[in-house]
Amino acid sequence: MLSVAILAAGKGTRMKSKLPKVLQPLGGRTLLERVLSGCIELKPDRLFVIVGHQAELVKSKACHVSGVEFIEQNPQNGTGHAIQQLIPALADFEGELLVLNGDVPLLRQETLERLVSQHRESNSEATFLSAKLENPNGYGRVFSDEKGQVSAIIEDRDCNKKELENNLTNAGIYCFNWNTLKAILPNLSNKNNQKEVYLTDAVSMVKKAMHLQVNDVEEVCGINDRLQMAECEALLQQRLRKFWMNNGVTFTDESSSTISDNCVLGKDVIIEPQTHLRGKCHIGDNCRIGPGSFIEDSWIGANVKILYSVIRDAKIGDNVEIGPYAHLRPNTDIAQECKIGNFVEIKNSVLGLGTKVNHLSYIGDSVLGKKVNIGAGTITANYDGRRKHRTIIGDETKTGANSVLIAPITLGAQVTVGAGSTLTRNVPDGSLAIARTKQLTKKEWTS
Ligand code: UD1
Ligand code: CA
């Protein structure tokens, strides 16, 4: 039997933020979400999150995870005190307790699996992850013999000068025999620099504690402040780009682009410089995205070209060209072969196959058929100051430059709208609509 407890009750004072530390974002997901997703695959019998500082907010961000149980720790008197709160909930539990720090977000599931299996094989009562760090400042130091048997973990603040030279650090990820830990927990003291009850002290109170040194020190980076957060973000981005490069994606200027780990990219995608993919994105095969583009929560088909554009909550079909400088806002659905040109804004609209909106237009709350051609500067006037109205445009209709379509309005199929028209009434299929004043020319005006 395996239980998991994630420590997420602390305030994160060193972040200097109103947001609890475990809710800070990294690669578009919170630290807590990352730690949770790392251990869910282990399929623990019980999964606890220890909450305290802004508990309701933290709970609301994690309660969608099936089977998660929240335990309150008030006040927050240290990591050992946090685990003491589990005693009633695990009174009859037999097995191992895996403890994860909520601020160590880059751990791989394989490493956790290795920790649990090594713990079971070694017959120790506690096993935890350690790392030799170039800069161990802030981390607890691990003191052990050559076989990996540990005598103590001493916190950075409690170390003397000699002890601080030891760069073998505690990663904050532990596997304990619960029955042993349960008996020790009430005896932990707070006689240390911070006057807190440390979980790390439990390690020197068991008969046999072992450490397991990780191969990849990046996995155990803890986040206490914004500097460490930036370091972790950089590591995560490197990891993600490397993964996609190994799966057929080209980055022309790797370090200038960012990507969230909910993105799926096809083969032969080219990500040009300064391009950012956020949230949940799908990018089809052969797309060229960027330079200078921002795409969030969108589905992009195959062979799409997007240049210097911003796209949010949109769906784009195959072979579409977008930009430069287009802005596609939520609920935009663009069919295959469309062209969206410079300085075009589209929102809450559907565009049919092969439709073109090439220059300087606003299309909002509209449905455009197939092969529609929207002339430069066409505006759907969708807002009357109180409510939004829809514009419907049939197949193969063309609007002239500088047309204003005052919604609600329907233009049929194969309609032509004269340039400079302001239309307020529906136009039937196959008609020409012109709504502008006749030109007056006064000859010899200047003579
Ligand atoms: C802790 C370890 C340290 C280790 C480091 C690794 C202790 C005493 N020290 O130090 O040996 O090298 O992690 O990153 O455990 N928390 C609670 N309740 C509390 C206090 C903290 O739930 O009362 C949570 C925090 O929200 C955080 C985690 O425990 O997610 C770790 O707390 P933090 O204060 O960051 O510990 P460190 O000083 O980093
Ligand atoms: Ca920490």
Side-chain angles (χ1 to χ4, degrees):
M1 298 279 271
L2 181 72
S3 284
V4 171
I6 299 175
L7 300 177
K11 185 173 172 199
T13 314
R14 292 164 278 185
M15 295 299 289
K16 303 207 169 43
S17 172
K18 282 189 181 150
L19 203 60
K21 179 165 66 179
V22 292
L23 297 186
Q24 297 284 347
L26 194 78
R29 290 157 75 202
T30 65
L31 301 187
L32 182 56
E33 268 180 286
R34 288 188 176 278
V35 176
L36 273 166
S37 66
C39 64
I40 281 169
E41 295 301 314
L42 299 176
K43 299 195 172 56
D45 298 287
R46 310 274 299 264
L47 173 56
F48 298 96
V49 177
I50 312 226
V51 293
H53 176 69
Q54 293 197 48
E56 292 312 312
L57 186 62
V58 176
K59 280 193 216 171
S60 72
K61 304 287 179 191
C63 58
H64 59 278
V65 176
S66 81
V68 69
E69 299 173 60
F70 296 100
I71 300 283
E72 301 244 357
Q73 182 204 9
N74 277 311
Q76 293 87 49
N77 280 342
T79 49
H81 178 247
I83 295 299
Q84 285 172 347
Q85 313 310 308
L86 283 174
I87 294 173
L90 288 178
D92 302 320
F93 176 74
E94 300 275 340
E96 290 93 13
L97 176 69
L98 183 64
V99 178
L100 307 174
N101 272 7
D103 61 354
V104 181
L106 299 183
L107 256 186
R108 291 195 175 87
Q109 185 199 325
E110 302 88 85
T111 309
L112 288 176
E113 280 165 0
R114 208 151 62 87
L115 173 66
V116 175
S117 63
Q118 166 130 348
H119 176 77
R120 286 176 177 162
E121 282 159 23
S122 72
N123 249 332
S124 56
E125 291 170 308
T127 312
F128 60 94
L129 296 181
S130 65
K132 276 222 152 102
L133 298 184
E134 257 174 51
N135 175 8
N137 287 346
Y139 288 90
R141 306 298 207 280
V142 178
F143 295 86
S144 79
D145 65 18
E146 312 82 69
K147 288 186 188 143
Q149 190 157 342
V150 175
S151 52
I153 300 174
I154 306 182
E155 286 308 291
D156 186 271
R157 300 164 188 250
D158 298 304
C159 281
N160 61 32
K161 229 173 158 193
K162 182 99 199 353
E163 288 164 339
L164 282 175
E165 283 168 16
N166 176 3
N167 70 343
L168 184 65
T169 60
N170 167 29
I173 314 294
Y174 321 76
C175 189
F176 287 101
N177 286 355
W178 171 247
N179 273 333
T180 313
L181 183 65
K182 189 170 67 175
I184 287 172
L185 282 171
N187 305 326
L188 293 176
S189 85
N190 67 348
K191 292 202 183 85
N192 51 54
N193 176 284
Q194 293 197 90
K195 308 250 172 319
E196 284 187 355
V197 179
Y198 289 165
L199 182 61
T200 44
D201 288 345
V203 161
S204 47
M205 293 159 79
V206 301
K207 272 198 220 99
K208 185 177 173 195
M210 301 287 287
H211 72 99
L212 172 62
Q213 200 176 324
V214 294
N215 305 324
D216 176 4
V217 294
E218 293 172 355
E219 269 192 82
V220 295
C221 275
I223 297 185
N224 292 328
D225 57 30
R226 307 256 183 184
L227 269 175
Q228 286 171 322
M229 193 153 90
E231 282 162 17
C232 273
E233 182 74 54
L235 290 172
L236 177 67
Q237 290 300 330
Q238 269 167 26
R239 238 194 219 182
L240 289 166
R241 289 190 299 256
K242 198 167 159 193
F243 173 85
W244 287 113
M245 285 190 268
N246 284 331
N247 283 280
V249 173
T250 295
F251 286 85
T252 41
D253 177 15
E254 209 214 321
S255 61
S256 74
S257 291
T258 61
I259 175 171
S260 96
D261 50 7
N262 283 332
C263 292
V264 177
L265 285 71
K267 297 276 179 293
D268 297 308
V269 166
I270 299 177
I271 304 290
E272 297 276 14
Q274 300 287 355
T275 292
H276 305 282
L277 307 179
R278 300 277 163 86
K280 196 172 178 184
C281 289
H282 163 103
I283 312 283
D285 292 347
N286 290 313
C287 284
R288 178 182 285 266
I289 316 284
S293 294
F294 177 96
I295 304 179
E296 188 167 56
D297 294 323
S298 295
W299 191 97
I300 316 285
N303 205 25
V304 172
K305 293 189 174 61
I306 299 171
L307 186 59
Y308 289 111
S309 293
V310 173
I311 300 177
R312 281 201 169 98
D313 278 318
K315 183 167 178 280
I316 317 284
D318 298 348
N319 304 316
V320 169
E321 284 183 32
I322 295 172
Y325 313 113
H327 184 190
L328 307 189
R329 292 169 49 204
N331 292 320
T332 292
D333 185 340
I334 294 181
Q336 301 183 10
E337 325 282 340
C338 285
K339 281 186 82 175
I340 313 298
N342 31 214
F343 307 108
V344 170
E345 175 180 350
I346 303 181
K347 173 219 108 174
N348 191 30
S349 295
V350 178
L351 274 62
L353 181 81
T355 283
K356 294 179 180 158
V357 189
N358 269 336
H359 333 267
L360 302 155
S361 290
Y362 172 65
I363 304 293
D365 305 309
S366 303
V367 177
L368 278 55
K370 295 177 196 152
K371 294 194 176 163
V372 171
N373 197 319
I374 298 292
T378 296
I379 304 291
T380 57
N382 59 333
Y383 187 48
D384 62 12
R386 289 166 64 192
R387 280 188 300 156
K388 303 277 173 67
H389 301 282
R390 296 178 71 72
T391 299
I392 315 283
I393 302 180
D395 295 348
E396 296 175 29
T397 281
K398 298 184 176 74
T399 66
N402 227 26
S403 304
V404 179
L405 311 175
I406 298 184
I409 190 167
T410 300
L411 310 185
Q414 296 186 332
V415 163
T416 300
V417 177
S421 295
T422 298
L423 300 188
T424 53
R425 287 200 292 256
N426 294 348
V427 181
D429 293 354
S431 315
L432 167 68
I434 308 181
R436 64 186 186 219
T437 51
K438 279 209 169 130
Q439 181 172 335
L440 184 65
T441 306
K442 297 202 173 181
K443 287 187 179 165
E444 294 165 22
W445 177 252
T446 49
S447 57

